[in-house]
Amino acid sequence: FSDDVRDVTVDAAGQIILAGRTISAIRGDMDGVARLNGTDGSLDSSFGSGGTTTIAVGAYGGITNVAADPAGRIVLAGINF
C-alpha cells in the first residue's frame, strides 16, 4: 500500500479536503479524496464511504489539485495522457 497526498484545501465550513493517490495490490492505482472534520482532524463519516471516495483516473493520469467553491462543492483538476 502507498498513499500520496497531492493537494489540500479547507472549505467554507472548515472541513479539510485532501486529494491524492492510493495504490494497493487489490485495487491498483486509484485517485481519491478524503474529507476531515476541521475541529479534530477525524474522517468526516458523512462524506463518501467513511470519509473517503476513490476515482479511477487511469494509469497515466491523476488528481493534482483540489478546491472547494463557496457552496461546498469539491472541484478537482488533474492530468491524463
Side-chain angles (χ1 to χ4, degrees):
F1 297 98
S2 176
D3 297 311
D4 177 22
V5 174
R6 298 203 175 147
D7 200 14
V8 178
T9 193
V10 177
D11 69 14
Q15 305 283 65
I16 303 162
I17 303 166
L18 309 171
R21 174 160 280 222
T22 184
I23 302 169
S24 77
I26 297 169
R27 294 181 12 195
D29 294 1
M30 297 289 288
D31 282 67
V33 177
R35 189 166 71 186
L36 309 177
N37 293 305
T39 55
D40 64 6
S42 64
L43 284 170
D44 176 2
S45 62
S46 70
F47 176 77
S49 176
T52 67
T53 188
T54 56
I55 304 158
V57 176
Y60 300 106
I63 298 170
T64 57
N65 300 87
V66 62
D69 73 8
R73 294 176 293 205
I74 297 170
V75 181
L76 302 172
I79 58 171
N80 196 7
F81 53 93

PDB file of all heavy atoms in Angstrom, residues 56-79:
ATOM      1  N   ALA A  56     -11.353   6.313 -10.444  1.00  0.00           N
ATOM      2  CA  ALA A  56     -10.453   5.651 -11.392  1.00  0.00           C
ATOM      3  C   ALA A  56     -10.100   6.654 -12.486  1.00  0.00           C
ATOM      4  O   ALA A  56     -10.900   6.938 -13.364  1.00  0.00           O
ATOM      5  CB  ALA A  56     -11.111   4.418 -11.981  1.00  0.00           C
ATOM      6  N   VAL A  57      -8.898   7.202 -12.425  1.00  0.00           N
ATOM      7  CA  VAL A  57      -8.470   8.215 -13.381  1.00  0.00           C
ATOM      8  C   VAL A  57      -7.702   7.582 -14.530  1.00  0.00           C
ATOM      9  O   VAL A  57      -7.793   8.028 -15.649  1.00  0.00           O
ATOM     10  CB  VAL A  57      -7.619   9.300 -12.684  1.00  0.00           C
ATOM     11  CG1 VAL A  57      -7.094  10.303 -13.684  1.00  0.00           C
ATOM     12  CG2 VAL A  57      -8.435   9.990 -11.616  1.00  0.00           C
ATOM     13  N   GLY A  58      -6.971   6.545 -14.273  1.00  0.00           N
ATOM     14  CA  GLY A  58      -6.173   5.902 -15.301  1.00  0.00           C
ATOM     15  C   GLY A  58      -4.720   5.827 -14.893  1.00  0.00           C
ATOM     16  O   GLY A  58      -4.255   6.577 -14.030  1.00  0.00           O
ATOM     17  N   ALA A  59      -4.009   4.935 -15.519  1.00  0.00           N
ATOM     18  CA  ALA A  59      -2.615   4.685 -15.142  1.00  0.00           C
ATOM     19  C   ALA A  59      -1.698   5.860 -15.438  1.00  0.00           C
ATOM     20  O   ALA A  59      -0.664   6.006 -14.811  1.00  0.00           O
ATOM     21  CB  ALA A  59      -2.113   3.439 -15.863  1.00  0.00           C
ATOM     22  N   TYR A  60      -2.067   6.700 -16.412  1.00  0.00           N
ATOM     23  CA  TYR A  60      -1.183   7.791 -16.823  1.00  0.00           C
ATOM     24  C   TYR A  60      -1.755   9.164 -16.467  1.00  0.00           C
ATOM     25  O   TYR A  60      -1.473  10.144 -17.126  1.00  0.00           O
ATOM     26  CB  TYR A  60      -0.907   7.707 -18.325  1.00  0.00           C
ATOM     27  CG  TYR A  60      -0.243   6.419 -18.689  1.00  0.00           C
ATOM     28  CD1 TYR A  60      -0.948   5.410 -19.330  1.00  0.00           C
ATOM     29  CD2 TYR A  60       1.077   6.183 -18.351  1.00  0.00           C
ATOM     30  CE1 TYR A  60      -0.344   4.211 -19.650  1.00  0.00           C
ATOM     31  CE2 TYR A  60       1.697   4.988 -18.666  1.00  0.00           C
ATOM     32  CZ  TYR A  60       0.976   4.008 -19.317  1.00  0.00           C
ATOM     33  OH  TYR A  60       1.568   2.821 -19.627  1.00  0.00           O
ATOM     34  N   GLY A  61      -2.541   9.229 -15.427  1.00  0.00           N
ATOM     35  CA  GLY A  61      -3.115  10.496 -15.025  1.00  0.00           C
ATOM     36  C   GLY A  61      -3.325  10.539 -13.536  1.00  0.00           C
ATOM     37  O   GLY A  61      -2.973   9.613 -12.816  1.00  0.00           O
ATOM     38  N   GLY A  62      -3.917  11.606 -13.088  1.00  0.00           N
ATOM     39  CA  GLY A  62      -4.211  11.692 -11.679  1.00  0.00           C
ATOM     40  C   GLY A  62      -4.661  13.070 -11.253  1.00  0.00           C
ATOM     41  O   GLY A  62      -4.527  14.041 -11.981  1.00  0.00           O
ATOM     42  N   ILE A  63      -5.234  13.129 -10.060  1.00  0.00           N
ATOM     43  CA  ILE A  63      -5.641  14.386  -9.464  1.00  0.00           C
ATOM     44  C   ILE A  63      -4.386  15.153  -9.044  1.00  0.00           C
ATOM     45  O   ILE A  63      -3.495  14.587  -8.421  1.00  0.00           O
ATOM     46  CB  ILE A  63      -6.535  14.143  -8.236  1.00  0.00           C
ATOM     47  CG1 ILE A  63      -7.824  13.422  -8.644  1.00  0.00           C
ATOM     48  CG2 ILE A  63      -6.848  15.448  -7.524  1.00  0.00           C
ATOM     49  CD1 ILE A  63      -8.634  12.928  -7.448  1.00  0.00           C
ATOM     50  N   THR A  64      -4.356  16.418  -9.401  1.00  0.00           N
ATOM     51  CA  THR A  64      -3.226  17.255  -8.994  1.00  0.00           C
ATOM     52  C   THR A  64      -3.638  18.412  -8.093  1.00  0.00           C
ATOM     53  O   THR A  64      -2.817  18.935  -7.354  1.00  0.00           O
ATOM     54  CB  THR A  64      -2.489  17.826 -10.217  1.00  0.00           C
ATOM     55  OG1 THR A  64      -3.430  18.570 -11.013  1.00  0.00           O
ATOM     56  CG2 THR A  64      -1.872  16.721 -11.057  1.00  0.00           C
ATOM     57  N   ASN A  65      -4.911  18.829  -8.185  1.00  0.00           N
ATOM     58  CA  ASN A  65      -5.364  19.977  -7.412  1.00  0.00           C
ATOM     59  C   ASN A  65      -6.783  19.756  -6.901  1.00  0.00           C
ATOM     60  O   ASN A  65      -7.576  19.078  -7.545  1.00  0.00           O
ATOM     61  CB  ASN A  65      -5.348  21.248  -8.268  1.00  0.00           C
ATOM     62  CG  ASN A  65      -3.979  21.572  -8.783  1.00  0.00           C
ATOM     63  OD1 ASN A  65      -3.603  21.076  -9.835  1.00  0.00           O
ATOM     64  ND2 ASN A  65      -3.239  22.357  -8.055  1.00  0.00           N
ATOM     65  N   VAL A  66      -7.086  20.375  -5.749  1.00  0.00           N
ATOM     66  CA  VAL A  66      -8.427  20.332  -5.190  1.00  0.00           C
ATOM     67  C   VAL A  66      -8.789  21.730  -4.693  1.00  0.00           C
ATOM     68  O   VAL A  66      -7.928  22.471  -4.206  1.00  0.00           O
ATOM     69  CB  VAL A  66      -8.556  19.289  -4.049  1.00  0.00           C
ATOM     70  CG1 VAL A  66      -7.654  19.622  -2.877  1.00  0.00           C
ATOM     71  CG2 VAL A  66      -9.996  19.133  -3.589  1.00  0.00           C
ATOM     72  N   ALA A  67     -10.054  22.089  -4.865  1.00  0.00           N
ATOM     73  CA  ALA A  67     -10.574  23.358  -4.352  1.00  0.00           C
ATOM     74  C   ALA A  67     -12.000  23.111  -3.909  1.00  0.00           C
ATOM     75  O   ALA A  67     -12.620  22.105  -4.264  1.00  0.00           O
ATOM     76  CB  ALA A  67     -10.529  24.428  -5.438  1.00  0.00           C
ATOM     77  N   ALA A  68     -12.531  24.021  -3.123  1.00  0.00           N
ATOM     78  CA  ALA A  68     -13.930  23.970  -2.718  1.00  0.00           C
ATOM     79  C   ALA A  68     -14.561  25.311  -3.047  1.00  0.00           C
ATOM     80  O   ALA A  68     -13.994  26.360  -2.737  1.00  0.00           O
ATOM     81  CB  ALA A  68     -14.047  23.671  -1.230  1.00  0.00           C
ATOM     82  N   ASP A  69     -15.733  25.272  -3.704  1.00  0.00           N
ATOM     83  CA  ASP A  69     -16.397  26.531  -4.021  1.00  0.00           C
ATOM     84  C   ASP A  69     -17.220  26.997  -2.816  1.00  0.00           C
ATOM     85  O   ASP A  69     -17.347  26.263  -1.835  1.00  0.00           O
ATOM     86  CB  ASP A  69     -17.214  26.397  -5.310  1.00  0.00           C
ATOM     87  CG  ASP A  69     -18.482  25.589  -5.164  1.00  0.00           C
ATOM     88  OD1 ASP A  69     -18.867  25.211  -4.035  1.00  0.00           O
ATOM     89  OD2 ASP A  69     -19.122  25.330  -6.195  1.00  0.00           O
ATOM     90  N   PRO A  70     -17.759  28.204  -2.855  1.00  0.00           N
ATOM     91  CA  PRO A  70     -18.497  28.730  -1.705  1.00  0.00           C
ATOM     92  C   PRO A  70     -19.714  27.893  -1.293  1.00  0.00           C
ATOM     93  O   PRO A  70     -20.126  27.934  -0.135  1.00  0.00           O
ATOM     94  CB  PRO A  70     -18.931  30.127  -2.170  1.00  0.00           C
ATOM     95  CG  PRO A  70     -17.913  30.517  -3.190  1.00  0.00           C
ATOM     96  CD  PRO A  70     -17.567  29.233  -3.881  1.00  0.00           C
ATOM     97  N   ALA A  71     -20.264  27.104  -2.211  1.00  0.00           N
ATOM     98  CA  ALA A  71     -21.411  26.246  -1.905  1.00  0.00           C
ATOM     99  C   ALA A  71     -20.986  24.924  -1.271  1.00  0.00           C
ATOM    100  O   ALA A  71     -21.825  24.091  -0.944  1.00  0.00           O
ATOM    101  CB  ALA A  71     -22.224  25.979  -3.170  1.00  0.00           C
ATOM    102  N   GLY A  72     -19.672  24.694  -1.130  1.00  0.00           N
ATOM    103  CA  GLY A  72     -19.177  23.471  -0.517  1.00  0.00           C
ATOM    104  C   GLY A  72     -18.909  22.343  -1.496  1.00  0.00           C
ATOM    105  O   GLY A  72     -18.557  21.241  -1.095  1.00  0.00           O
ATOM    106  N   ARG A  73     -19.073  22.602  -2.786  1.00  0.00           N
ATOM    107  CA  ARG A  73     -18.785  21.579  -3.795  1.00  0.00           C
ATOM    108  C   ARG A  73     -17.280  21.451  -3.979  1.00  0.00           C
ATOM    109  O   ARG A  73     -16.555  22.448  -3.988  1.00  0.00           O
ATOM    110  CB  ARG A  73     -19.460  21.923  -5.111  1.00  0.00           C
ATOM    111  CG  ARG A  73     -20.972  21.879  -5.009  1.00  0.00           C
ATOM    112  CD  ARG A  73     -21.618  22.318  -6.283  1.00  0.00           C
ATOM    113  NE  ARG A  73     -21.322  23.746  -6.461  1.00  0.00           N
ATOM    114  CZ  ARG A  73     -22.075  24.576  -7.160  1.00  0.00           C
ATOM    115  NH1 ARG A  73     -23.147  24.131  -7.774  1.00  0.00           N
ATOM    116  NH2 ARG A  73     -21.749  25.845  -7.272  1.00  0.00           N
ATOM    117  N   ILE A  74     -16.840  20.219  -4.128  1.00  0.00           N
ATOM    118  CA  ILE A  74     -15.416  19.937  -4.311  1.00  0.00           C
ATOM    119  C   ILE A  74     -15.101  19.945  -5.800  1.00  0.00           C
ATOM    120  O   ILE A  74     -15.799  19.303  -6.596  1.00  0.00           O
ATOM    121  CB  ILE A  74     -15.044  18.588  -3.673  1.00  0.00           C
ATOM    122  CG1 ILE A  74     -15.282  18.654  -2.160  1.00  0.00           C
ATOM    123  CG2 ILE A  74     -13.606  18.217  -3.990  1.00  0.00           C
ATOM    124  CD1 ILE A  74     -15.167  17.320  -1.463  1.00  0.00           C
ATOM    125  N   VAL A  75     -14.054  20.665  -6.173  1.00  0.00           N
ATOM    126  CA  VAL A  75     -13.622  20.774  -7.564  1.00  0.00           C
ATOM    127  C   VAL A  75     -12.238  20.164  -7.674  1.00  0.00           C
ATOM    128  O   VAL A  75     -11.325  20.529  -6.922  1.00  0.00           O
ATOM    129  CB  VAL A  75     -13.591  22.257  -8.021  1.00  0.00           C
ATOM    130  CG1 VAL A  75     -13.158  22.354  -9.464  1.00  0.00           C
ATOM    131  CG2 VAL A  75     -14.935  22.920  -7.779  1.00  0.00           C
ATOM    132  N   LEU A  76     -12.087  19.192  -8.583  1.00  0.00           N
ATOM    133  CA  LEU A  76     -10.815  18.505  -8.783  1.00  0.00           C
ATOM    134  C   LEU A  76     -10.238  18.855 -10.152  1.00  0.00           C
ATOM    135  O   LEU A  76     -10.987  19.028 -11.115  1.00  0.00           O
ATOM    136  CB  LEU A  76     -10.991  16.991  -8.705  1.00  0.00           C
ATOM    137  CG  LEU A  76     -11.568  16.449  -7.404  1.00  0.00           C
ATOM    138  CD1 LEU A  76     -11.875  14.975  -7.548  1.00  0.00           C
ATOM    139  CD2 LEU A  76     -10.618  16.703  -6.253  1.00  0.00           C
ATOM    140  N   ALA A  77      -8.941  18.936 -10.238  1.00  0.00           N
ATOM    141  CA  ALA A  77      -8.246  19.110 -11.509  1.00  0.00           C
ATOM    142  C   ALA A  77      -7.116  18.111 -11.557  1.00  0.00           C
ATOM    143  O   ALA A  77      -6.631  17.656 -10.527  1.00  0.00           O
ATOM    144  CB  ALA A  77      -7.708  20.534 -11.642  1.00  0.00           C
ATOM    145  N   GLY A  78      -6.721  17.749 -12.769  1.00  0.00           N
ATOM    146  CA  GLY A  78      -5.645  16.782 -12.886  1.00  0.00           C
ATOM    147  C   GLY A  78      -5.144  16.662 -14.299  1.00  0.00           C
ATOM    148  O   GLY A  78      -5.415  17.507 -15.145  1.00  0.00           O
ATOM    149  N   ILE A  79      -4.411  15.581 -14.525  1.00  0.00           N
ATOM    150  CA  ILE A  79      -3.855  15.316 -15.851  1.00  0.00           C
ATOM    151  C   ILE A  79      -4.231  13.897 -16.261  1.00  0.00           C
ATOM    152  O   ILE A  79      -4.483  13.032 -15.432  1.00  0.00           O
ATOM    153  CB  ILE A  79      -2.319  15.470 -15.869  1.00  0.00           C
ATOM    154  CG1 ILE A  79      -1.662  14.519 -14.850  1.00  0.00           C
ATOM    155  CG2 ILE A  79      -1.910  16.898 -15.598  1.00  0.00           C
ATOM    156  CD1 ILE A  79      -0.162  14.445 -14.957  1.00  0.00           C
TER     157      ILE A  79
END
